[in-house]
Amino acid sequence: MASGSAQAPEQAGEDKAQVTVLIVNWNSGAMLKHCLECLASQSLQPARIIVIDNASTDDSLAHLHPHPAVMVLPQQNNLGFAAANNLGLKHCTTELVALLNPDAFPQPDWLAALVSAARRHPECAAFGSIQTCHPDTHRLDGTGDVYHLSGLIWRRDHGALRADTLTPAGDIFSPCAAAALYRRDAVQAVGGFDERFFCYAEDVDLGFRLRLAGQVCRVVPEAVVYHMGSATTGGQHSAFAVYHGHRNLVWTFVKNMPGPLFWLCLPLHLLMNLLTILVFAYRGQGRVILRAKTDALKGLPAIWRTRQQVQRNRQVSWHEIWAALDRRIWRRRFRVVWRP
């Protein structure tokens, strides 16, 4: 296993795909080993697997077996999901880059299905997986991210029974980066992940910027992973997840929503944030949600400067973004689920 060097040899051969898999690890324990075992069983093998370790203090790296395709980039500090993936992207030379969380366990044809979709759809920059819950694999964890006109984000089909849910291949707002495939050049062209986000909603922010640049995202029904979800961050409703998710929710809206839609949807966005504060205060998490929103406001001057650049580079009309938003005012089954 190579460690901390970009010179680890890439495997070549007809059975190797021109795709690099990036795994951001932080105290993942035995999950990382199992994730890599699932990658070793793929019907289409990646050219390289890069594990970016965010200063783990557990033994998650100790049990990894040496493998010429695996390169480990150990860090002295926890860079967060966004910055760690940007670092991994700098070490990629392949056209395609797959992101995989250590708590996401791909089924044998996962990578082959994603790469095949990328070859069939050159107009698309990102491809999402079908995520099923682990260990309850009969229930869906999500089939792509939904962006509401208020700025709320959720996973489509989260919690639905897999047998009762038909997921055709097609357009999604953005893929969940726990298990997704991207075109490296497209990601780099829009600036990669925003490292200020640290983690949570950074994948939706990236997907939004790809859309503004005229790119399209698709879900690939044949690409299946079993996903534990927030396994190393204390769960979806932990203080860590609530803080980063709800701070970043504000930044994603302010930075990316095109001008006419920004002013049209701003009252609803403000109302949604107010209701969110009330809901989390009722749950006993008032202090953390207030800190999230306060820090979101403190960061707005810098986010607004970034917004000006993002909107100057916009290649699509606001009508096209409007068409990609979820515009329902009421959902019978309303659940917001954050992603690491």
Side-chain angles (χ1 to χ4, degrees):
M1 180 188 305
S3 177
S5 171
Q7 302 303 315
E10 292 187 0
Q11 291 189 349
E14 294 182 355
D15 61 334
K16 300 295 185 293
Q18 282 304 302
V19 56
T20 302
V21 178
L22 301 184
I23 301 174
V24 176
N25 180 61
W26 183 71
N27 294 335
S28 299
M31 291 183 295
L32 176 62
K33 181 181 178 182
H34 183 45
C35 178
L36 289 172
E37 289 171 346
C38 291
L39 282 176
S41 300
Q42 292 294 296
S43 59
L44 185 63
Q45 287 292 300
R48 175 183 285 173
I49 301 167
I50 301 178
V51 178
I52 307 98
D53 183 69
N54 271 336
S56 294
T57 56
D58 70 350
D59 61 351
S60 52
L61 296 181
H63 303 295
L64 301 186
H65 298 294
H67 193 289
V70 179
M71 179 172 69
V72 179
L73 298 176
Q75 304 303 303
Q76 297 301 313
N77 301 292
N78 187 349
L79 304 180
F81 185 81
N85 274 308
N86 283 345
L87 176 63
L89 284 166
K90 292 178 181 178
H91 289 84
C92 290
T93 58
T94 55
E95 171 198 359
L96 300 172
V97 178
L99 271 55
L100 186 65
N101 278 9
D103 65 349
F105 311 127
Q107 297 309 285
D109 291 329
W110 171 74
L111 192 59
L114 289 174
V115 171
S116 177
R119 301 303 184 212
R120 294 194 309 272
H121 298 281
E123 76 282 4
C124 296
F127 301 85
S129 306
I130 300 299
Q131 296 177 191
T132 63
C133 296
H134 182 78
D136 182 12
T137 56
H138 298 293
R139 198 166 292 277
L140 287 167
D141 182 52
T143 61
D145 289 338
V146 178
Y147 196 88
H148 190 256
L149 54 83
S150 68
L152 268 177
I153 305 162
W154 63 83
R155 285 199 193 122
R156 187 179 65 176
D157 298 325
H158 176 79
L161 287 174
R162 188 177 175 187
D164 296 339
T165 306
L166 176 64
T167 306
D171 187 46
I172 52 175
F173 188 85
S174 60
C176 173
L181 183 75
Y182 296 89
R183 297 193 190 276
R184 180 171 58 92
D185 290 347
V187 171
Q188 292 177 329
V190 297
F193 289 99
D194 190 330
E195 298 182 6
R196 293 169 295 191
F197 281 49
F198 195 77
C199 66
Y200 288 92
E202 73 295 300
D203 49 359
V204 179
D205 169 66
L206 174 62
F208 209 144
R209 282 181 283 125
L210 287 171
R211 281 199 166 271
L212 292 171
Q215 304 288 348
V216 183
C217 305
R218 290 179 64 89
V219 67
V220 182
E222 299 81 15
V224 178
V225 299
Y226 298 162
H227 185 217
M228 297 186 70
S230 300
T232 63
T233 58
Q236 296 161 352
H237 300 296
S238 68
F240 182 90
V242 169
Y243 171 79
H244 287 91
H246 286 273
R247 181 197 64 181
N248 296 348
L249 176 151
V250 175
W251 289 353
T252 300
F253 178 89
V254 171
K255 184 167 73 169
N256 296 298
M257 193 67 79
L261 296 181
F262 178 87
W263 298 110
L264 176 66
C265 299
L266 182 59
L268 187 58
H269 182 67
L270 295 174
L271 176 61
M272 179 272 294
N273 277 279
L274 176 60
L275 292 176
T276 298
I277 292 172
L278 295 176
V279 168
F280 280 91
Y282 177 77
R283 292 179 180 176
Q285 293 181 295
R287 193 171 288 181
V288 66
I289 193 67
L290 284 174
R291 184 164 63 91
K293 299 308 180 183
T294 299
D295 288 351
L297 292 174
K298 289 178 180 178
L300 281 186
I303 293 295
W304 191 265
R305 288 192 294 271
T306 305
R307 169 189 170 79
Q308 293 174 321
Q309 179 182 352
V310 168
Q311 298 304 321
R312 277 197 302 269
N313 296 332
R314 177 162 57 94
Q315 300 296 314
V316 298
S317 70
W318 65 266
H319 302 86
E320 293 175 81
I321 298 301
W322 176 255
L325 301 176
D326 187 294
R327 301 185 296 278
R328 291 170 291 178
I329 298 301
W330 176 257
R331 300 178 67 228
R332 286 182 59 193
R333 192 168 174 277
F334 187 76
R335 296 181 68 180
V336 179
V337 182
W338 299 103
R339 299 147 315 284

